[in-house]
Amino acid sequence: MAPLADLYQLTMAYGHWRAGRHRAPAAAELFFRRGPFRGAFALGAGLAEGLRCLRAFRFSAADVAYLRSVLPSTTEDAFFDYLATLDASEVPFLQVKGPLLVVQLLETMLLCLVNYASLVATNAARFRLLAGPDVKLMEMGLRRAQGPDGALSASKYSYIGGFDCTSNILAGKLYGIPVRGTIAHSFIMSFTSLEEVQPRELSPLAGGDPVDLPALASSWLGQVCEVLETPLEKANQGELAAFVSYAVTFPRDFQGLLDTYCVRRSGLPNFCAVALALHQLGYRAIGVRLDSGDLAQQSKEIRQVLRACADRFQVPWFGTISIAVSNDISEQSLEEFSREGSEIDMIGVGTNLVTCPLQPSLGCVYKLVEVNGSPCLKLTEDEEKMTIPGTKRIYRLYDAAGHPFMDLMALEKEPSPYAGQELVVHVLGQLDEARTVVPTTVESLHRTYFRDGQVCEPLPSLLEVRNHAQMSLNLLSPAHRRLHEPQPYPVAITEQLHRLLTELQQDRR
């Protein structure tokens, strides 16, 4: 992964090397300036991948040969020899410290690994907050993602953000994410009659002689149509055959896609008939899916029918069969479901999750903050792009209710703040104004995972990361967690850091 860099990282590295300053101790920080999706929070992700890349950071002989072909022909051979000796054995992560040349070379790779991962995780968290804790969310964006790498990343980081499962088999294999799926319209459309069903027989769950499932489902169809008050002849026989074929194959996992033809007159009665036939043999259908139309309204109508069948045929569990929906689901869709009320149990989200159309990029940046022990400051006419100098520690301050109310940046050499301490701070965006805060709890956000070329603390599992992310989101106050017009979450600097910033601004003007 060492060549995962922009070309100017190498040209700058050569400049440092020629000037003899390539081993100067340096520090850089990776951060973003504005919360994504106009929200007040973001989930940081991609850290484990960054650590793995740091541990394996080497320029192979083939890498060096390629760099010789793209850098100017005047580049000295000794520089390429030096590149072949490089590793990241002195570099921790996110706050990156090490030799200046190496710190510089890592910029693009770390940004690539963190930007999209954090964006997708945050996007997923927004869907989770809108859906509520009880509705299952399935990521199904494989065919819409930006290539296989983007698809795998989306599956992984949407799981961290709060999704329950994915349709992506490879993501399930690689990351242990639960994999789910039903059937597509093409499967249903491929059948035209019950004569095409093979095999036809299914043995009862408790044992016994095999039963002709197409015939049993057909006998149930007439009774179901009476309950629904729909004409028997309107139920599509090809659809019934597809459901029966799927049920014979997966009797313990039978699900029906209801909207290939007509939900009310065909999909729903055909599903109920097959599900009741399975019930007669001791099996339980597990769900239905809708992929078009007014999903919220249809879910309520379907639930009504399922409950009617449960009462009519004395099958209590029938009324609780899971209802799943898909079809270009967006944040607006979930808001409509909540506003209108629905009976939806599972939601599949694809395009609007993995492509993040509301904000295609998080915009993380990577800036030098110290070289040779001296703080660095980027001054610009755009105040938002000014950097905060010096190596720092970050602390999260909590109020009496247990909600975080501010993140505080302090110089690394400053004493750590503590609970109950009166702190004078300057909030970013309002640096000229000092204010006083008194935290009930103080949490240091820095942990060292990488030192001397090795991961020095066991990395949490993906499930542990997911649980930590959800716990952290739950700690946010409602004012910061809401998705529309949230109260901005303040980030502040200490009085000492503010003095350093002011002095450097005056010196450089």
Side-chain angles (χ1 to χ4, degrees), residues 22 30 49 66 84 118 144 152 167 197 213 235 238 253 255 276 314 329 331 344 362 386 389 417 425 490 497:
H22 52 290
L30 189 153
E49 282 66 26
Y66 175 73
S118 300
R144 298 282 192 257
L152 286 170
S167 66
V197 177
L213 191 61
D253 298 282
Q255 303 175 72
L276 288 165
Q314 299 298 300
I329 300 294
E331 287 188 9
I344 296 168
L362 176 57
M386 181 181 67
V425 303
L497 181 52

Side-chain angles (χ1 to χ4, degrees), residues 91-257:
V91 182
F93 184 65
L94 271 196
Q95 184 187 74
V96 182
K97 294 180 180 179
L100 175 58
L101 185 147
V102 178
V103 169
Q104 188 74 71
L105 284 175
L106 293 173
E107 176 179 356
T108 299
M109 180 183 74
L110 294 179
L111 286 171
C112 177
L113 292 172
V114 171
N115 256 318
Y116 180 67
S118 300
L119 186 71
V120 170
T122 304
N123 198 26
R126 293 172 63 88
F127 276 94
R128 168 48 67 199
L129 289 173
L130 285 169
D134 299 324
V135 174
K136 298 292 185 183
L137 291 174
M138 179 171 74
E139 179 273 317
M140 47 188 296
L142 177 57
R143 64 189 63 188
R144 298 282 192 257
Q146 292 90 340
D149 292 337
L152 286 170
S153 293
S155 298
K156 181 175 185 177
Y157 297 114
S158 63
Y159 185 64
I160 289 175
F163 273 58
D164 298 283
C165 54
T166 179
S167 66
N168 187 338
I169 298 172
L170 184 55
K173 174 188 175 185
L174 294 176
Y175 310 130
I177 302 171
V179 178
R180 298 288 184 272
T182 57
I183 56 176
H185 294 293
S186 59
F187 182 85
I188 296 170
M189 293 163 60
S190 70
F191 289 84
T192 58
S193 72
L194 289 169
E195 283 68 37
E196 296 171 305
V197 177
Q198 293 295 333
R200 302 176 64 86
E201 293 185 333
L202 178 66
S203 297
L205 183 60
D209 295 333
V211 174
D212 187 300
L213 191 61
L216 185 58
S218 295
S219 68
W220 275 105
L221 182 59
Q223 300 178 67
V224 171
C225 286
E226 288 182 12
V227 174
L228 272 65
E229 298 180 349
T230 59
L232 177 61
E233 62 274 11
K234 295 294 185 179
N236 186 283
Q237 288 295 294
E239 182 180 57
L240 178 62
F243 287 171
V244 171
S245 180
Y246 194 82
V248 168
T249 307
F250 300 105
R252 292 179 176 86
D253 298 282
F254 173 58
Q255 303 175 72
L257 177 59

Side-chain angles (χ1 to χ4, degrees), residues 63-84:
D63 295 335
V64 173
Y66 175 73
L67 292 176
R68 285 180 183 274
S69 73
V70 296
L71 286 174
S73 59
T74 54
T75 305
E76 297 175 38
D77 287 342
F79 174 66
F80 296 108
D81 295 338
Y82 175 72
L83 288 181

